[in-house]
Amino acid sequence: MHFLKRSSLLFTVLLFCGIFLSAEEYVSELEAEPSQTSSDSEYEVDLGQVYTYLEKPVAEQKIIITKEEIEKSHSENLTSLLQSQGMQILSYGAYGLESKPSIRGFTDETVRVVIDGVCVNNAQYGTFDFSSINLNQIEKIEIVKGGFTEGISDEGSVGGTIYITTKKQDVKKHFSSDTSAKTYFNPAWPVDTLSQKLTFSSPAGENSFFKTSAALTLAQNRFLYKSDSNQYVYQDNSQVWDTDLSAAFTHFYGAGSSVTVSDALYAGNKYCPGVEHNTNIGLQKDYDNRFTINLLNPAIGNAFRLENNFAYLTNIRFYDADSESSSHFVNTITWTTYLTYFASDFIKESAGFTFDGVFLESTDDGKVNQFNWTLKSTTKFFFNEIFSLSLPLAVKFQGENFAFVPKLGLKTSFASGDFNLALYRMVQFPNMDDLYWSGAGAVGNPDLDVENGWGGEISFNSKLPFLPLSICIFSNYYDNKIKWGYSDGIWTSQNVASAFYAGVDLDIEKSFFNDILYFRFSGEYLYNRLLNKNDPYTYGKRIMWTPDFVASLVIRLNLEKWQASLETSYMGKRYISNLNISYMKPYVLMNASASFKANEWLTPYVRIENLLFQDYEAVENYPMPLTSVTLGCSIKKDW
């Protein structure tokens, strides 16, 4: 309790700290009517004169998933959605159980997740629980592969960054509901998973808006799978229930300036049976809270855009297996401020500052405080209509660890398409478990160095309507990778691994007949080799769990009232250890969905996952479901 009080007090003090200034690009000026009043609303909305600044990327490659695509997929959660987009997901079971994204062979903390400008990776073990965010709350997802990140809100990562932007408040009153029921065709549990998601937003007065959402999912996860003995059996003891609640209040003032206060709470009760033959039932309880304050000043002197994000993140986890329990309390205070400045048509400048204070109290790590700092600036030069250059520079601090992260991007634009070249340094600091873990016969190493490496990529984005593709060739060398193993007879974390990566990303997106028919293909070939000469058994071998090829194909039919889609994903061969002796076989997953717009507000839908009845595992010995069918109904109403 004293720990939480101290964390809350420090957060309050930071809230009133000074502001570090920085700079961006002024693109357009939007002038709203002096008074915008809905005939059905009792509120008047007067936003005054609103300025909009749009960031113009130079050499950054992005995969963008819009809210329309999310809605049309009828995916259960973020894990299912990203997997259908061709991303490798290391899943340890069905709904609610651990799942980790992998980008270009990198996973865990090397893939950063940023929600509304705030990095939400857990400081203790580096990952983010994809179950803890409601898909109905997402406006847009942007996936940046590799370590090149021009944005100021995060200094970049190693494998890639997943930027999630949540929906903003509507000017009118808005209500939405999504109700669904899933079956795995288990006679004992014909209805396995029930889910209810609700959102509501409304004006809350002059120039003020309120938004709230709630979701509840009850999953038995008694799915059918094929066991090692070649028998079809139903999973047991894998139940999950979870819920999330969120609320946000936004007030506009001045020339489009705004303040937003929001809070998101997640609670989950999850039985984790572990590997197929494990007889122990592990109970995991998660309680996460994300409190944020956003201050946006988009038009200071009609030339600056200033944004401040203050966040207080709480991650609480309890484990209970065989009467052995452990508890982990992580409180993180984050302050991110960045400013963009339109200097001229030739140069654009932006800079930012991020502070993280982490306060950990863990059964295995003890009581530890950690403070992280990042200073970053991005300068963009637009020489003419053809050539532009981007130069992001970041300085990072974590305790005694220090890293300088330079990046360089060059873009050439022609009528046929854009050619991009990016060179960057890759840096990842150790997480707190790597540094301080002490338990189960393992000990962390507080003297770990920073993981680091260099990367480069060259890409082409076609502008030709008959050739709608984007292709990227990339290469990375990574050193000082943290690996757990024996050192002087002690199982501990060490900077011993290094590897070389190379590959090709390909994306093709095309619509036909006025968007009636749509298809999107994504594929990635990945080559990597371990280069630790001190380990002759793994030198020159492929990194475990990394597939040689990943691909996905989405085909969607959009009619006036009907919509149907088919999602196919392929996962290539993956070795189960760095010795490269045994591997997991490739698999193909096919999902299908269809919906019917009954009227302006009612849309029933059906979604079938694993349509081919594919027997597969994302991680060795962790069973994954065979075919499931979900029936649902979404409601949307504006007034």
Side-chain angles (χ1 to χ4, degrees), residues 290-306:
R290 186 174 72 254
F291 175 77
T292 60
I293 298 177
N294 172 269
L295 301 174
L296 175 62
N297 304 100
I300 299 176
N302 295 344
F304 293 91
R305 182 185 190 275
L306 174 66

mmCIF file with all atom_site columns, all heavy atoms in Angstrom, residues 290-306:
data_model
loop_
_atom_site.group_PDB
_atom_site.id
_atom_site.type_symbol
_atom_site.label_atom_id
_atom_site.label_alt_id
_atom_site.label_comp_id
_atom_site.label_asym_id
_atom_site.label_entity_id
_atom_site.label_seq_id
_atom_site.pdbx_PDB_ins_code
_atom_site.Cartn_x
_atom_site.Cartn_y
_atom_site.Cartn_z
_atom_site.occupancy
_atom_site.B_iso_or_equiv
_atom_site.pdbx_formal_charge
_atom_site.auth_seq_id
_atom_site.auth_comp_id
_atom_site.auth_asym_id
_atom_site.auth_atom_id
_atom_site.pdbx_PDB_model_num
ATOM 1   N N   . ARG A 1 290 ? -4.854 1.415  -17.071 1.00 0.00 ? 290 ARG A N   1
ATOM 2   C CA  . ARG A 1 290 ? -4.122 2.411  -17.855 1.00 0.00 ? 290 ARG A CA  1
ATOM 3   C C   . ARG A 1 290 ? -4.834 3.755  -17.732 1.00 0.00 ? 290 ARG A C   1
ATOM 4   O O   . ARG A 1 290 ? -5.865 3.993  -18.346 1.00 0.00 ? 290 ARG A O   1
ATOM 5   C CB  . ARG A 1 290 ? -4.038 1.968  -19.323 1.00 0.00 ? 290 ARG A CB  1
ATOM 6   C CG  . ARG A 1 290 ? -3.166 2.873  -20.178 1.00 0.00 ? 290 ARG A CG  1
ATOM 7   C CD  . ARG A 1 290 ? -2.991 2.312  -21.589 1.00 0.00 ? 290 ARG A CD  1
ATOM 8   N NE  . ARG A 1 290 ? -4.195 2.407  -22.396 1.00 0.00 ? 290 ARG A NE  1
ATOM 9   C CZ  . ARG A 1 290 ? -4.973 1.395  -22.717 1.00 0.00 ? 290 ARG A CZ  1
ATOM 10  N NH1 . ARG A 1 290 ? -4.679 0.173  -22.286 1.00 0.00 ? 290 ARG A NH1 1
ATOM 11  N NH2 . ARG A 1 290 ? -6.057 1.552  -23.464 1.00 0.00 ? 290 ARG A NH2 1
ATOM 12  N N   . PHE A 1 291 ? -4.272 4.620  -16.896 1.00 0.00 ? 291 PHE A N   1
ATOM 13  C CA  . PHE A 1 291 ? -4.829 5.966  -16.699 1.00 0.00 ? 291 PHE A CA  1
ATOM 14  C C   . PHE A 1 291 ? -3.976 6.959  -17.471 1.00 0.00 ? 291 PHE A C   1
ATOM 15  O O   . PHE A 1 291 ? -2.746 6.998  -17.300 1.00 0.00 ? 291 PHE A O   1
ATOM 16  C CB  . PHE A 1 291 ? -4.839 6.321  -15.209 1.00 0.00 ? 291 PHE A CB  1
ATOM 17  C CG  . PHE A 1 291 ? -5.297 7.733  -14.937 1.00 0.00 ? 291 PHE A CG  1
ATOM 18  C CD1 . PHE A 1 291 ? -6.632 8.064  -14.989 1.00 0.00 ? 291 PHE A CD1 1
ATOM 19  C CD2 . PHE A 1 291 ? -4.374 8.726  -14.648 1.00 0.00 ? 291 PHE A CD2 1
ATOM 20  C CE1 . PHE A 1 291 ? -7.053 9.366  -14.740 1.00 0.00 ? 291 PHE A CE1 1
ATOM 21  C CE2 . PHE A 1 291 ? -4.781 10.023 -14.401 1.00 0.00 ? 291 PHE A CE2 1
ATOM 22  C CZ  . PHE A 1 291 ? -6.127 10.343 -14.453 1.00 0.00 ? 291 PHE A CZ  1
ATOM 23  N N   . THR A 1 292 ? -4.585 7.757  -18.332 1.00 0.00 ? 292 THR A N   1
ATOM 24  C CA  . THR A 1 292 ? -3.821 8.674  -19.181 1.00 0.00 ? 292 THR A CA  1
ATOM 25  C C   . THR A 1 292 ? -4.458 10.059 -19.204 1.00 0.00 ? 292 THR A C   1
ATOM 26  O O   . THR A 1 292 ? -5.675 10.207 -19.080 1.00 0.00 ? 292 THR A O   1
ATOM 27  C CB  . THR A 1 292 ? -3.716 8.159  -20.628 1.00 0.00 ? 292 THR A CB  1
ATOM 28  O OG1 . THR A 1 292 ? -5.038 8.016  -21.176 1.00 0.00 ? 292 THR A OG1 1
ATOM 29  C CG2 . THR A 1 292 ? -3.009 6.827  -20.688 1.00 0.00 ? 292 THR A CG2 1
ATOM 30  N N   . ILE A 1 293 ? -3.595 11.048 -19.361 1.00 0.00 ? 293 ILE A N   1
ATOM 31  C CA  . ILE A 1 293 ? -4.018 12.431 -19.591 1.00 0.00 ? 293 ILE A CA  1
ATOM 32  C C   . ILE A 1 293 ? -3.287 12.918 -20.828 1.00 0.00 ? 293 ILE A C   1
ATOM 33  O O   . ILE A 1 293 ? -2.058 12.865 -20.896 1.00 0.00 ? 293 ILE A O   1
ATOM 34  C CB  . ILE A 1 293 ? -3.697 13.343 -18.394 1.00 0.00 ? 293 ILE A CB  1
ATOM 35  C CG1 . ILE A 1 293 ? -4.437 12.873 -17.140 1.00 0.00 ? 293 ILE A CG1 1
ATOM 36  C CG2 . ILE A 1 293 ? -4.061 14.793 -18.714 1.00 0.00 ? 293 ILE A CG2 1
ATOM 37  C CD1 . ILE A 1 293 ? -4.104 13.682 -15.898 1.00 0.00 ? 293 ILE A CD1 1
ATOM 38  N N   . ASN A 1 294 ? -4.041 13.343 -21.825 1.00 0.00 ? 294 ASN A N   1
ATOM 39  C CA  . ASN A 1 294 ? -3.462 13.836 -23.067 1.00 0.00 ? 294 ASN A CA  1
ATOM 40  C C   . ASN A 1 294 ? -3.765 15.322 -23.219 1.00 0.00 ? 294 ASN A C   1
ATOM 41  O O   . ASN A 1 294 ? -4.929 15.743 -23.115 1.00 0.00 ? 294 ASN A O   1
ATOM 42  C CB  . ASN A 1 294 ? -4.029 13.068 -24.267 1.00 0.00 ? 294 ASN A CB  1
ATOM 43  C CG  . ASN A 1 294 ? -3.604 13.667 -25.595 1.00 0.00 ? 294 ASN A CG  1
ATOM 44  O OD1 . ASN A 1 294 ? -4.293 14.521 -26.158 1.00 0.00 ? 294 ASN A OD1 1
ATOM 45  N ND2 . ASN A 1 294 ? -2.472 13.218 -26.119 1.00 0.00 ? 294 ASN A ND2 1
ATOM 46  N N   . LEU A 1 295 ? -2.726 16.118 -23.429 1.00 0.00 ? 295 LEU A N   1
ATOM 47  C CA  . LEU A 1 295 ? -2.866 17.552 -23.671 1.00 0.00 ? 295 LEU A CA  1
ATOM 48  C C   . LEU A 1 295 ? -2.379 17.830 -25.085 1.00 0.00 ? 295 LEU A C   1
ATOM 49  O O   . LEU A 1 295 ? -1.212 17.612 -25.406 1.00 0.00 ? 295 LEU A O   1
ATOM 50  C CB  . LEU A 1 295 ? -2.035 18.351 -22.664 1.00 0.00 ? 295 LEU A CB  1
ATOM 51  C CG  . LEU A 1 295 ? -2.373 18.148 -21.183 1.00 0.00 ? 295 LEU A CG  1
ATOM 52  C CD1 . LEU A 1 295 ? -1.376 18.899 -20.310 1.00 0.00 ? 295 LEU A CD1 1
ATOM 53  C CD2 . LEU A 1 295 ? -3.786 18.598 -20.879 1.00 0.00 ? 295 LEU A CD2 1
ATOM 54  N N   . LEU A 1 296 ? -3.271 18.322 -25.931 1.00 0.00 ? 296 LEU A N   1
ATOM 55  C CA  . LEU A 1 296 ? -2.942 18.563 -27.334 1.00 0.00 ? 296 LEU A CA  1
ATOM 56  C C   . LEU A 1 296 ? -3.132 20.037 -27.669 1.00 0.00 ? 296 LEU A C   1
ATOM 57  O O   . LEU A 1 296 ? -4.202 20.599 -27.447 1.00 0.00 ? 296 LEU A O   1
ATOM 58  C CB  . LEU A 1 296 ? -3.828 17.713 -28.245 1.00 0.00 ? 296 LEU A CB  1
ATOM 59  C CG  . LEU A 1 296 ? -3.687 17.954 -29.752 1.00 0.00 ? 296 LEU A CG  1
ATOM 60  C CD1 . LEU A 1 296 ? -2.274 17.627 -30.218 1.00 0.00 ? 296 LEU A CD1 1
ATOM 61  C CD2 . LEU A 1 296 ? -4.706 17.132 -30.523 1.00 0.00 ? 296 LEU A CD2 1
ATOM 62  N N   . ASN A 1 297 ? -2.073 20.645 -28.187 1.00 0.00 ? 297 ASN A N   1
ATOM 63  C CA  . ASN A 1 297 ? -2.121 22.023 -28.685 1.00 0.00 ? 297 ASN A CA  1
ATOM 64  C C   . ASN A 1 297 ? -1.644 21.994 -30.134 1.00 0.00 ? 297 ASN A C   1
ATOM 65  O O   . ASN A 1 297 ? -0.450 22.058 -30.417 1.00 0.00 ? 297 ASN A O   1
ATOM 66  C CB  . ASN A 1 297 ? -1.223 22.933 -27.845 1.00 0.00 ? 297 ASN A CB  1
ATOM 67  C CG  . ASN A 1 297 ? -1.568 22.889 -26.372 1.00 0.00 ? 297 ASN A CG  1
ATOM 68  O OD1 . ASN A 1 297 ? -0.912 22.213 -25.587 1.00 0.00 ? 297 ASN A OD1 1
ATOM 69  N ND2 . ASN A 1 297 ? -2.618 23.583 -25.982 1.00 0.00 ? 297 ASN A ND2 1
ATOM 70  N N   . PRO A 1 298 ? -2.583 21.882 -31.092 1.00 0.00 ? 298 PRO A N   1
ATOM 71  C CA  . PRO A 1 298 ? -2.189 21.634 -32.480 1.00 0.00 ? 298 PRO A CA  1
ATOM 72  C C   . PRO A 1 298 ? -1.738 22.862 -33.244 1.00 0.00 ? 298 PRO A C   1
ATOM 73  O O   . PRO A 1 298 ? -1.233 22.730 -34.364 1.00 0.00 ? 298 PRO A O   1
ATOM 74  C CB  . PRO A 1 298 ? -3.467 21.053 -33.098 1.00 0.00 ? 298 PRO A CB  1
ATOM 75  C CG  . PRO A 1 298 ? -4.571 21.700 -32.322 1.00 0.00 ? 298 PRO A CG  1
ATOM 76  C CD  . PRO A 1 298 ? -4.053 21.859 -30.922 1.00 0.00 ? 298 PRO A CD  1
ATOM 77  N N   . ALA A 1 299 ? -1.903 24.056 -32.705 1.00 0.00 ? 299 ALA A N   1
ATOM 78  C CA  . ALA A 1 299 ? -1.611 25.237 -33.511 1.00 0.00 ? 299 ALA A CA  1
ATOM 79  C C   . ALA A 1 299 ? -1.072 26.380 -32.653 1.00 0.00 ? 299 ALA A C   1
ATOM 80  O O   . ALA A 1 299 ? -1.630 27.468 -32.623 1.00 0.00 ? 299 ALA A O   1
ATOM 81  C CB  . ALA A 1 299 ? -2.863 25.688 -34.261 1.00 0.00 ? 299 ALA A CB  1
ATOM 82  N N   . ILE A 1 300 ? 0.034  26.144 -31.965 1.00 0.00 ? 300 ILE A N   1
ATOM 83  C CA  . ILE A 1 300 ? 0.658  27.211 -31.196 1.00 0.00 ? 300 ILE A CA  1
ATOM 84  C C   . ILE A 1 300 ? 1.335  28.173 -32.173 1.00 0.00 ? 300 ILE A C   1
ATOM 85  O O   . ILE A 1 300 ? 2.256  27.792 -32.895 1.00 0.00 ? 300 ILE A O   1
ATOM 86  C CB  . ILE A 1 300 ? 1.681  26.639 -30.202 1.00 0.00 ? 300 ILE A CB  1
ATOM 87  C CG1 . ILE A 1 300 ? 0.983  25.697 -29.209 1.00 0.00 ? 300 ILE A CG1 1
ATOM 88  C CG2 . ILE A 1 300 ? 2.399  27.750 -29.458 1.00 0.00 ? 300 ILE A CG2 1
ATOM 89  C CD1 . ILE A 1 300 ? 1.931  25.015 -28.252 1.00 0.00 ? 300 ILE A CD1 1
ATOM 90  N N   . GLY A 1 301 ? 0.880  29.387 -32.178 1.00 0.00 ? 301 GLY A N   1
ATOM 91  C CA  . GLY A 1 301 ? 1.420  30.364 -33.119 1.00 0.00 ? 301 GLY A CA  1
ATOM 92  C C   . GLY A 1 301 ? 1.242  29.961 -34.571 1.00 0.00 ? 301 GLY A C   1
ATOM 93  O O   . GLY A 1 301 ? 1.970  30.412 -35.446 1.00 0.00 ? 301 GLY A O   1
ATOM 94  N N   . ASN A 1 302 ? 0.232  29.119 -34.821 1.00 0.00 ? 302 ASN A N   1
ATOM 95  C CA  . ASN A 1 302 ? -0.047 28.624 -36.173 1.00 0.00 ? 302 ASN A CA  1
ATOM 96  C C   . ASN A 1 302 ? 1.163  27.941 -36.803 1.00 0.00 ? 302 ASN A C   1
ATOM 97  O O   . ASN A 1 302 ? 1.272  27.833 -38.023 1.00 0.00 ? 302 ASN A O   1
ATOM 98  C CB  . ASN A 1 302 ? -0.525 29.752 -37.093 1.00 0.00 ? 302 ASN A CB  1
ATOM 99  C CG  . ASN A 1 302 ? -1.863 30.314 -36.662 1.00 0.00 ? 302 ASN A CG  1
ATOM 100 O OD1 . ASN A 1 302 ? -2.572 29.688 -35.868 1.00 0.00 ? 302 ASN A OD1 1
ATOM 101 N ND2 . ASN A 1 302 ? -2.211 31.470 -37.160 1.00 0.00 ? 302 ASN A ND2 1
ATOM 102 N N   . ALA A 1 303 ? 2.101  27.461 -35.988 1.00 0.00 ? 303 ALA A N   1
ATOM 103 C CA  . ALA A 1 303 ? 3.313  26.856 -36.541 1.00 0.00 ? 303 ALA A CA  1
ATOM 104 C C   . ALA A 1 303 ? 3.772  25.635 -35.761 1.00 0.00 ? 303 ALA A C   1
ATOM 105 O O   . ALA A 1 303 ? 4.521  24.833 -36.286 1.00 0.00 ? 303 ALA A O   1
ATOM 106 C CB  . ALA A 1 303 ? 4.443  27.880 -36.580 1.00 0.00 ? 303 ALA A CB  1
ATOM 107 N N   . PHE A 1 304 ? 3.314  25.465 -34.509 1.00 0.00 ? 304 PHE A N   1
ATOM 108 C CA  . PHE A 1 304 ? 3.775  24.366 -33.672 1.00 0.00 ? 304 PHE A CA  1
ATOM 109 C C   . PHE A 1 304 ? 2.610  23.442 -33.320 1.00 0.00 ? 304 PHE A C   1
ATOM 110 O O   . PHE A 1 304 ? 1.467  23.889 -33.151 1.00 0.00 ? 304 PHE A O   1
ATOM 111 C CB  . PHE A 1 304 ? 4.374  24.888 -32.364 1.00 0.00 ? 304 PHE A CB  1
ATOM 112 C CG  . PHE A 1 304 ? 5.647  25.662 -32.549 1.00 0.00 ? 304 PHE A CG  1
ATOM 113 C CD1 . PHE A 1 304 ? 5.618  27.038 -32.738 1.00 0.00 ? 304 PHE A CD1 1
ATOM 114 C CD2 . PHE A 1 304 ? 6.870  25.019 -32.523 1.00 0.00 ? 304 PHE A CD2 1
ATOM 115 C CE1 . PHE A 1 304 ? 6.787  27.755 -32.906 1.00 0.00 ? 304 PHE A CE1 1
ATOM 116 C CE2 . PHE A 1 304 ? 8.043  25.723 -32.679 1.00 0.00 ? 304 PHE A CE2 1
ATOM 117 C CZ  . PHE A 1 304 ? 8.008  27.100 -32.874 1.00 0.00 ? 304 PHE A CZ  1
ATOM 118 N N   . ARG A 1 305 ? 2.931  22.177 -33.200 1.00 0.00 ? 305 ARG A N   1
ATOM 119 C CA  . ARG A 1 305 ? 1.974  21.194 -32.680 1.00 0.00 ? 305 ARG A CA  1
ATOM 120 C C   . ARG A 1 305 ? 2.617  20.531 -31.461 1.00 0.00 ? 305 ARG A C   1
ATOM 121 O O   . ARG A 1 305 ? 3.616  19.839 -31.571 1.00 0.00 ? 305 ARG A O   1
ATOM 122 C CB  . ARG A 1 305 ? 1.638  20.137 -33.721 1.00 0.00 ? 305 ARG A CB  1
ATOM 123 C CG  . ARG A 1 305 ? 0.606  19.100 -33.244 1.00 0.00 ? 305 ARG A CG  1
ATOM 124 C CD  . ARG A 1 305 ? 0.417  18.018 -34.300 1.00 0.00 ? 305 ARG A CD  1
ATOM 125 N NE  . ARG A 1 305 ? -0.705 17.161 -33.987 1.00 0.00 ? 305 ARG A NE  1
ATOM 126 C CZ  . ARG A 1 305 ? -0.671 16.101 -33.181 1.00 0.00 ? 305 ARG A CZ  1
ATOM 127 N NH1 . ARG A 1 305 ? 0.473  15.793 -32.581 1.00 0.00 ? 305 ARG A NH1 1
ATOM 128 N NH2 . ARG A 1 305 ? -1.739 15.365 -32.964 1.00 0.00 ? 305 ARG A NH2 1
ATOM 129 N N   . LEU A 1 306 ? 2.032  20.743 -30.304 1.00 0.00 ? 306 LEU A N   1
ATOM 130 C CA  . LEU A 1 306 ? 2.584  20.234 -29.051 1.00 0.00 ? 306 LEU A CA  1
ATOM 131 C C   . LEU A 1 306 ? 1.632  19.210 -28.451 1.00 0.00 ? 306 LEU A C   1
ATOM 132 O O   . LEU A 1 306 ? 0.425  19.441 -28.376 1.00 0.00 ? 306 LEU A O   1
ATOM 133 C CB  . LEU A 1 306 ? 2.798  21.377 -28.059 1.00 0.00 ? 306 LEU A CB  1
ATOM 134 C CG  . LEU A 1 306 ? 3.244  20.986 -26.643 1.00 0.00 ? 306 LEU A CG  1
ATOM 135 C CD1 . LEU A 1 306 ? 4.640  20.369 -26.671 1.00 0.00 ? 306 LEU A CD1 1
ATOM 136 C CD2 . LEU A 1 306 ? 3.197  22.202 -25.717 1.00 0.00 ? 306 LEU A CD2 1
#
